[in-house]
Amino acid sequence: MARPTHPKIVSVPHEVNRLAIAVGEPYDSFRARYEEAVPQFETERFGRLVEENAGWDAVVRATAENAPHDFITYWSQDFGPLLRLAGERRRCMEYLMGNHTIAQRMFHHNPAILLYAPLRTAIYEDAQGETWFAVDQPSTRFSSFGDPAITEVGIELDRKLAALLDHLGVPVPDVLTSSGS
């Protein structure tokens, strides 16, 4: 529950489920399949829509075409080369994955949802060389806003994340399909 600490400051403690899933395949092949399933945000295309003042329906159509599995990569970074300078050998790729048309449905209620949208994900190798996919469960992030409309979209994102993992042939954590049931 939100606790006022000052007339214009609110502190909201909340619990988050971090999901780490062993993907059962080599790092490079899983990373390539993930990046194919979650393509890059088409910056030029969406920039043109903004310049043309194309309207939200055009954005929704373009997003559906850009996000075949409901998600787009807005940013990614491989910090491995830099961390190798410190002697690290494990690989890890970080991503911001989301869908602005879904985020808008929460933003409408509280712009602060952008703290968690897009979702932060990582593909990494552990000390034994096993490949993992990690993400915070969306509904546990968005429920912290205490707004049923935002929570409902967070649960929808759980389901969409489950569908993406299923498409990738990765074990789907039960919490993604049982939340809000």
Side-chain angles (χ1 to χ4, degrees):
M1 167 154 298
R3 292 179 280 148
T5 58
H6 181 272
K8 297 227 179 198
I9 298 173
V10 176
S11 173
V12 182
H14 65 283
E15 187 174 315
V16 174
N17 292 333
R18 180 176 309 116
L19 307 174
I21 305 154
V23 301
E25 71 180 274
Y27 177 89
D28 289 327
S29 63
F30 182 74
R31 180 178 160 191
R33 289 187 329 97
Y34 174 83
E35 290 177 359
E36 182 178 327
V38 185
Q40 288 291 315
F41 175 70
E42 296 174 346
T43 305
E44 290 180 19
R45 180 182 192 180
F46 288 100
R48 280 192 308 275
L49 292 175
V50 170
E51 288 172 10
E52 296 166 359
N53 198 26
W56 194 245
D57 287 343
V59 172
V60 170
R61 282 190 303 276
T63 303
E65 293 169 6
N66 189 189
H69 299 283
D70 294 312
F71 295 107
I72 298 168
T73 296
Y74 293 96
W75 173 87
S76 61
Q77 183 65 47
D78 180 356
F79 287 102
L82 182 63
L83 296 176
R84 275 193 276 292
L85 299 175
E88 297 291 340
R89 295 292 172 240
R90 292 180 284 174
R91 296 180 289 175
C92 181
M93 189 75 178
E94 182 180 9
Y95 302 86
L96 293 180
M97 169 190 92
N99 183 316
H100 45 272
T101 64
I102 297 169
Q104 182 277 330
R105 293 172 32 220
M106 295 182 286
F107 182 92
H108 173 77
H109 298 282
N110 187 336
I113 62 92
L114 292 181
L115 287 167
Y116 308 122
L119 307 172
R120 175 172 262 170
T121 67
I123 297 171
Y124 64 93
E125 293 175 316
D126 66 16
Q128 290 73 41
E130 187 164 12
T131 304
W132 293 78
F133 175 79
V135 61
D136 287 342
Q137 182 182 357
S139 64
T140 63
R141 284 284 186 198
F142 295 114
S143 66
S144 71
F145 290 92
D147 182 321
I150 293 173
T151 299
E152 182 179 318
V153 177
I155 292 167
E156 178 185 335
L157 284 166
D158 285 359
R159 305 285 192 279
K160 290 182 181 298
L161 178 58
L164 173 65
L165 294 173
D166 185 60
H167 168 77
L168 292 169
V170 172
V172 175
D174 290 341
V175 294
L176 292 177
T177 57
S178 64
S179 61
S181 300

